[in-house]
Amino acid sequence: MAMEITQFLLAAQSADAKIRTDAEASLRQFQEQNIPVFLLSLSVELSNDEKPVESRRLAGIVFKNSLDAKDAIRKEQLVQQWMAIHVSIKSQIKDFLLKTLASSVPEARHTSSQVIAKIASIEVPRKQWPELIGSLLNNMTQQDKPASLKQATLETLGYVCEEISHQDLVQDEVNAVLTAVVQGMNLADHGPEVRLAATRALYNALEFAQTNFENEMERNYIMKVVCDTAMSKEVEIRQAAFECLVAIASAYYEVLEPYMQTLFQLTSNAVKGDEETVALHAIEFWSSICDEEIELQEFENPESGDSGPPHSSFIEKALLSLVPLLLETLLKQEEDQDQDDTVWNISMAGGTCLGLVARTVGDVIVPLVMPFVESNIVKPDWRSREAATYAFGSILEGPTVDKLFPLVQLGLEFLLNAMEDGNNHVKDSTAWTLSRIFEFLHSPANGCSIISPEDLKRVLGVLLESIKDAPNVAEKVCGAIYYLVQGYEDAGPSSSLLSPYLTDIISCLIATADRTDGSDSKLRSSACETLNEVVRCSNIVETSSIIAHLLPVITNKLGQTMGIQIVSSDDREKQGDLQARLCGVLQVIIQKLSSTDETKPIIHQAADQIMLLFLKVFGCHRSTVHEEAMLAIGSLAYATGSQFEKYMPEFYKYLEMGLQNFEEYQVCGITVGVVGDICRALDDKILPYCDGIMGLLLKDLGSSELHRSVKPPIFSCFGDIALAIGEHFEKYVPYALPMMQGAAEICAKMETADEEMMDYGNQLRRSVFEAYSGILQGFKSVKPDVMVPYAQHLLKFIEVVFRDSQRDESVTKAAVAVMGDLADALGSNIKHMFQDCLFYNEFICECLRSDDEQLNETADWTQCMIQRVMEL
């Protein structure tokens, strides 16, 4: 039944474009016309050792791509396509794939492992391939099977464990898989290829081993095998074993106590003397322990006496040995690590881990690190100076301000002088350390600042000079300025301290954003982000003229981008990036100048020119530009209010395009938010556009192609539209309300075990409540009766949410608010519903007991609204 496709697969890899294109078209046609036979033919090709390696490799890739896709909607379509194939053909395909594991060609075995795992990801959760695990284990238990088959089988088991959930296998299967994998790691029985595959398989199977780790004897055996494997003579196997230890640290922290001495010895030896690939994972083991202990400390609640899960204080116990070990790693820098952001080496890993240790243990780390800092900071060797600076910067988060303040006060002048060091690495780390100092120890608003008013001029002088340095240093300086100005936000009289320097800061940042000497746009982006923060945190009363002067500078720069000559796609991308950054700056300026009545007229006068530029930007078809331009237009709508109406005829087509942009769903989501901004700005003047907008929003909700994250904001947008147009929303009720009720039903049935789904459920519930609130308020004084048929369903939904102990606080606020809106808008029409409703008093009382003042006020108002209804 299978077709001969070797020649097509080889031709599809031809250097001749025409031959390649024709072959690809033939394969695509075969796939579309008869997918069962197409997949069967691919599996036959893959399993046949007489076929060329090239055709077998492509057969495997095409097969894998026929089962899986990154896009969730496409992936579901492929799953359904596989499910629809007749069981007899699927059985043949799976037999060929399992047979391929015994192939003499490594590439064919590897590809087959991946394809088997993809099929398993579809079938095993549906209990449709019950014999798979048994078939694979059979390969491991028979003595006469070749090592290559065992290696491929272990690789397959690893991939299968990666693809499925631990709930998909019964415990006996888990035990058998773990036994096969752990035995495969045995040095006496197997060669390096089998042991490497087994160790990698264990990494993927650890999630399944919860019951086994609860059993001391089984746990001891697994840990002994992993620790022994971490001392193998083969680097790759040692690396894989340490990866397992990192995963065990995260998954089974609470049972590690008996093994910690051995684990410290293993990791310490690896950090000191092993290959870097192994040493990096040895450091990561301790980073993972820190992550676990930081999380456990967040659970601890001294007031209630509840200490949460057991905390073994491994980091504190290992501190005297661990900190010196990590400090030594800081001296192992690479010559060019400051030039490449993708570099990850042992000194960076050590510094990151040191920072996590500081967050874990707090003050006690300071006396362990400072001698290293003090002895190395003045050495002539640049590595020593950089390591000392990096160590100091790494411990600035975790210890108390009281502990750090005197040290930083003494060291600040030294660090400012170090910005003139002759070595680029030292300046890079010094600028980073200064940004950390300003982030954690500079907060005039809270009465704590490492920078006295007298020192500010000196600090800014150094930063504005150093921003002219090499791109990597300048980028870190942007970060330092960012946190420095952030400290003065809402700082009362202290916020005035920055005002005299604002013009110089802005000029330097604009000059930095114009630099072209960086290898990528990272410096330019950092300069623009910092400029945004400078504008956002400035004291508007004192600096309005400076920001007003900045407005035409940025609009002129945006205007100049329209004239950039576009010769290549690279030119188009650079133009788009620049436009996106400038739109972002304009958004912040618009928000700042529209925040007071005195400065709002500045925006009104410039609005026509700004809007014209934004409309031109939409001619550049890149999602990032569209996002930034849309966000800026939302701010402009808020600033101009009803005057924004004159821009709607021209802007509406771009609004439509945004709402239909399923592919770049972030653009769609932002456009939905801008619709809300425009509704608040225009009120009922939005009415002429509402049929089109509501039609597109309803279509978006009904689409299976649109990313789910866009759907909650759409419901909130219904509320914005209803508030804006009042009684005119009535014609949309028969379409919008069933959608809202459907979303409420979905929320009630949603799986809350998955944290991501729980977050999405909370967003969806909150947005549905916000939609109801907006619609109820919109109808309140004109046609409240329209909503009476939907009141009972809404009350039941509120009750379901009330009964959910895992609800988010924002959901609680929205639920209690909409209950008040229901009583306020519908009055005596729903008195009987509240009489029959037993939960609302309990819900309101719970909210009144909350520490959240806003929730208290909302609950108090809701209680008054319901009481008023009951007295009617």
Side-chain angles (χ1 to χ4, degrees):
M1 192 174 174
M3 301 266 291
E4 175 63 46
I5 56 171
T6 308
Q7 293 312 312
F8 293 114
L9 290 166
L10 291 172
Q13 301 171 73
S14 169
D16 185 312
K18 185 174 188 319
I19 294 173
R20 190 171 65 247
T21 306
D22 289 348
E24 286 170 354
S26 298
L27 287 169
R28 201 176 305 113
Q29 186 180 9
F30 183 11
Q31 184 175 17
E32 288 166 0
Q33 288 178 350
N34 196 337
I35 190 71
V37 176
F38 178 70
L39 294 180
L40 179 62
S41 303
L42 291 173
S43 66
V44 169
E45 186 78 20
L46 186 57
S47 69
N48 190 340
D49 273 355
E50 294 176 8
K51 296 290 185 181
V53 172
E54 293 80 6
S55 66
R56 296 174 77 185
R57 183 199 304 119
L58 185 57
I61 292 168
V62 173
F63 201 130
K64 200 167 58 169
N65 292 341
S66 301
L67 297 170
D68 195 19
K70 286 183 180 177
D71 179 72
I73 293 152
R74 175 66 182 148
K75 182 173 182 172
E76 183 55 31
Q77 289 169 346
L78 294 175
V79 167
Q80 293 308 319
Q81 180 178 269
W82 171 260
M83 297 291 292
I85 295 172
H86 193 276
V87 66
S88 64
I89 295 181
K90 285 197 285 193
S91 182
Q92 288 180 65
I93 289 170
K94 290 185 283 193
D95 286 346
F96 280 120
L97 291 169
L98 288 168
K99 175 190 164 191
T100 310
L101 296 180
S103 168
S104 58
V105 179
E107 225 171 323
R109 298 197 301 269
H110 173 70
T111 307
S112 188
S113 295
Q114 293 177 312
V115 177
I116 289 168
K118 291 297 177 190
I119 295 174
S121 73
I122 300 171
E123 296 204 345
V124 172
R126 294 171 171 83
K127 310 297 179 194
Q128 289 185 353
W129 199 357
E131 68 277 15
L132 170 64
I133 300 297
S135 299
L136 293 171
L137 292 174
N138 193 42
N139 292 343
M140 297 303 298
T141 52
Q142 293 185 19
Q143 294 298 317
D144 58 335
K145 297 290 185 184
S148 59
L149 174 59
K150 292 187 175 183
Q151 180 268 336
T153 300
L154 287 164
E155 186 176 31
T156 307
L157 282 168
Y159 286 139
V160 169
C161 289
E162 188 178 17
E163 291 286 347
I164 65 175
S165 160
H166 65 93
Q167 297 156 331
D168 295 328
L169 298 182
V170 297
Q171 190 58 43
D172 284 349
E173 289 177 312
V174 172
N175 294 343
V177 168
L178 285 170
T179 300
V181 168
V182 173
Q183 285 176 352
M185 295 166 71
N186 193 318
L187 178 62
D189 297 338
H190 301 291
E193 291 82 7
V194 171
R195 287 189 293 118
L196 178 60
T199 311
R200 287 175 173 168
L202 178 64
Y203 177 83
N204 288 324
L206 282 169
E207 183 195 343
F208 296 71
Q210 195 161 353
T211 302
N212 309 83
F213 264 81
E214 287 166 3
N215 180 307
E216 187 181 356
M217 199 164 75
E218 292 183 39
R219 182 174 70 242
N220 286 343
Y221 180 58
I222 293 170
M223 290 301 294
K224 183 182 184 310
V225 171
V226 177
C227 290
D228 288 348
T229 307
M231 294 185 286
S232 297
K233 68 176 192 289
E234 299 86 0
V235 174
E236 271 193 294
I237 296 177
R238 292 200 302 276
Q239 181 184 335
F242 273 104
E243 285 180 42
C244 289
L245 289 174
V246 171
I248 289 167
S250 295
Y252 302 110
Y253 168 90
E254 66 280 0
V255 296
L256 287 183
E257 180 82 57
Y259 318 105
M260 287 308 287
Q261 204 164 348
T262 303
L263 291 169
F264 182 81
Q265 206 57 52
L266 272 176
T267 52
S268 176
N269 290 342
V271 171
K272 287 175 183 173
D274 211 328
E275 299 289 332
E276 187 173 72
T277 52
V278 180
L280 286 172
H281 289 294
I283 294 171
E284 193 184 347
F285 171 82
W286 289 102
S287 293
S288 294
I289 294 289
C290 287
D291 287 335
E292 291 304 308
E293 296 196 350
I294 290 166
E295 194 173 332
L296 287 169
Q297 285 162 13
E298 287 170 0
F299 275 121
E300 288 176 358
N301 186 356
E303 290 176 16
S304 67
D306 175 20
S307 60
H311 189 320
S312 301
S313 303
F314 294 138
I315 297 298
E316 197 177 319
K317 291 170 187 172
L319 209 56
L320 294 177
S321 304
L322 180 61
V323 170
L325 180 72
L326 294 173
L327 290 172
E328 281 304 306
T329 66
L330 304 188
L331 293 160
K332 298 179 180 178
Q333 309 97 323
E334 291 173 15
E335 285 286 351
D336 57 350
Q337 67 181 38
D338 56 338
Q339 302 299 323
D340 185 356
D341 285 335
T342 61
V343 166
W344 183 248
N345 58 36
I346 196 162
S347 78
M348 291 174 165
T352 301
C353 187
L354 187 66
L356 288 167
V357 170
R359 287 177 57 198
T360 308
V361 300
D363 286 356
V364 294
I365 198 172
V366 176
L368 298 177
V369 172
M370 286 313 295
F372 176 87
V373 174
E374 288 158 3
S375 66
N376 283 281
I377 199 81
V378 290
K379 286 185 178 176
D381 173 29
W382 75 261
R383 291 180 186 278
S384 300
R385 299 198 306 280
E386 192 278 335
T389 310
Y390 188 21
F392 189 54
S394 296
I395 63 166
L396 291 171
E397 184 183 9
T400 58
V401 171
D402 290 344
K403 189 75 176 176
L404 292 170
F405 206 88
L407 296 170
V408 175
Q409 219 164 16
L410 283 171
L412 184 59
E413 182 61 26
F414 189 96
L415 288 167
L416 292 172
N417 288 330
M419 288 306 299
E420 295 180 16
D421 194 282
N423 182 271
N424 190 281
H425 294 79
V426 175
K427 288 187 285 188
D428 185 291
S429 293
T430 303
W432 173 77
T433 298
L434 286 169
S435 75
R436 302 258 298 171
I437 287 170
F438 301 150
E439 182 180 2
F440 299 115
L441 295 167
H442 169 61
S443 181
N446 298 322
C448 159
S449 180
I450 200 70
I451 304 166
S452 67
E454 299 75 39
D455 291 339
L456 182 58
K457 184 176 182 180
R458 162 87 173 124
V459 169
L460 279 168
V462 170
L463 293 177
L464 297 185
E465 186 58 36
S466 300
I467 204 170
K468 300 167 189 170
D469 212 312
N472 61 298
V473 175
E475 191 215 322
K476 304 292 191 311
V477 172
C478 285
I481 296 171
Y482 182 99
Y483 287 114
L484 177 68
V485 300
Q486 197 176 72
Y488 291 106
E489 184 184 13
D490 301 327
S494 295
S495 64
S496 300
L497 295 172
L498 200 63
S499 301
Y501 307 102
L502 208 66
T503 302
D504 288 345
I505 296 171
I506 288 171
S507 298
C508 284
L509 288 169
I510 288 173
T512 305
D514 287 340
R515 281 173 62 167
T516 55
D517 55 336
S519 58
D520 56 27
S521 62
K522 196 168 180 190
L523 172 58
R524 297 189 285 279
S525 296
S526 294
C528 285
E529 284 171 26
T530 304
L531 178 59
N532 291 346
E533 198 65 6
V534 169
V535 172
R536 200 180 65 77
C537 298
S538 62
N539 183 328
I540 187 67
V541 175
E542 297 173 354
T543 60
S544 58
S545 61
I546 298 169
I547 296 168
H549 178 70
L550 179 61
L551 180 59
V553 173
I554 302 300
T555 52
N556 287 341
K557 283 183 175 295
L558 185 57
Q560 287 163 15
T561 66
M562 308 302 167
I564 292 175
Q565 192 173 2
I566 306 297
V567 178
S568 64
S569 59
D570 192 42
D571 292 336
R572 172 72 66 194
E573 188 172 347
K574 284 179 180 173
Q575 181 200 43
D577 287 341
L578 180 54
Q579 288 176 340
R581 289 195 295 272
L582 292 169
C583 285
V585 177
L586 278 175
Q587 182 196 357
V588 178
I589 295 172
I590 292 165
Q591 288 171 336
K592 193 69 180 181
L593 290 175
S594 61
S595 64
T596 70
D597 291 337
E598 291 76 22
T599 52
K600 203 177 270 190
I602 300 168
I603 297 298
H604 288 191
Q605 288 161 18
D608 287 359
Q609 183 198 359
I610 295 170
M611 191 65 191
L612 184 63
L613 285 169
F614 289 156
L615 292 173
K616 284 183 179 177
V617 166
F618 282 111
C620 176
H621 298 293
R622 287 185 75 252
S623 63
T624 50
V625 179
H626 282 211
E627 285 177 50
E628 297 293 346
M630 271 292 176
L631 286 166
I633 285 171
S635 298
L636 189 65
Y638 172 80
T640 55
S642 60
Q643 290 181 30
F644 192 82
E645 183 189 13
K646 63 182 173 182
Y647 308 124
M648 281 302 291
E650 185 62 28
F651 174 56
Y652 180 69
K653 62 185 174 190
Y654 297 113
L655 203 64
E656 278 189 322
M657 283 164 56
L659 293 175
Q660 294 174 90
N661 194 343
F662 290 3
E663 196 173 326
E664 296 160 342
Y665 66 88
Q666 295 94 334
V667 176
C668 188
I670 287 167
T671 308
V672 170
V674 170
V675 170
D677 294 333
I678 294 170
C679 287
R680 286 184 284 277
L682 297 186
D683 289 327
D684 60 357
K685 289 178 181 174
I686 189 77
L687 194 57
Y689 305 95
C690 280
D691 282 358
I693 290 170
M694 281 299 295
L696 289 170
L697 292 176
L698 290 164
K699 188 178 174 185
D700 287 353
L701 281 177
S703 168
S704 60
E705 290 175 46
L706 182 60
H707 195 275
R708 71 180 187 204
S709 64
V710 181
K711 298 191 176 182
I714 291 174
F715 287 114
S716 300
C717 195
F718 285 169
D720 294 328
I721 293 169
L723 262 176
I725 65 174
E727 63 185 309
H728 299 290
F729 193 82
E730 184 178 1
K731 65 177 173 179
Y732 307 122
V733 167
Y735 308 100
L737 267 292
M739 288 278 198
M740 288 157 59
Q741 289 179 333
E745 302 291 340
I746 289 168
C747 289
K749 296 171 189 168
M750 204 169 271
E751 177 59 58
T752 55
D754 182 332
E755 196 172 325
E756 198 178 315
M757 282 307 290
M758 193 166 78
D759 287 345
Y760 177 68
N762 280 324
Q763 289 172 30
L764 194 55
R765 294 189 294 187
R766 184 178 68 245
S767 63
V768 170
F769 287 140
E770 286 171 355
Y772 272 113
S773 280
I775 295 168
L776 286 163
Q777 289 171 36
F779 283 133
K780 174 185 162 185
S781 55
V782 280
K783 285 190 175 178
D785 295 357
V786 172
M787 290 300 291
V788 172
Y790 305 98
Q792 190 72 56
H793 192 279
L794 173 56
L795 272 173
K796 282 183 180 170
F797 180 38
I798 296 169
E799 183 172 7
V800 167
V801 169
F802 163 64
R803 304 283 177 211
D804 177 13
S805 59
Q806 291 184 299
R807 71 185 124 89
D808 187 69
E809 192 163 285
S810 64
V811 175
T812 303
K813 285 180 185 174
V816 79
V818 79
M819 198 156 60
D821 288 323
L822 192 63
D824 183 32
L826 304 191
S828 59
N829 287 315
I830 57 159
K831 181 177 180 179
H832 66 284
M833 293 185 199
F834 278 112
Q835 285 171 337
D836 297 340
C837 178
L838 301 174
F839 78 91
Y840 76 85
N841 264 324
E842 200 181 334
F843 190 14
I844 289 171
C845 288
E846 179 201 303
C847 296
L848 290 171
R849 288 193 300 271
S850 168
D851 295 333
D852 188 307
E853 200 174 313
Q854 190 187 0
L855 182 56
N856 290 163
E857 286 176 14
T858 306
D860 191 43
W861 174 79
T862 295
Q863 191 173 46
C864 292
M865 291 301 104
I866 295 173
Q867 280 173 354
R868 198 177 71 184
V869 167
M870 303 309 267
E871 289 164 6
L872 291 172

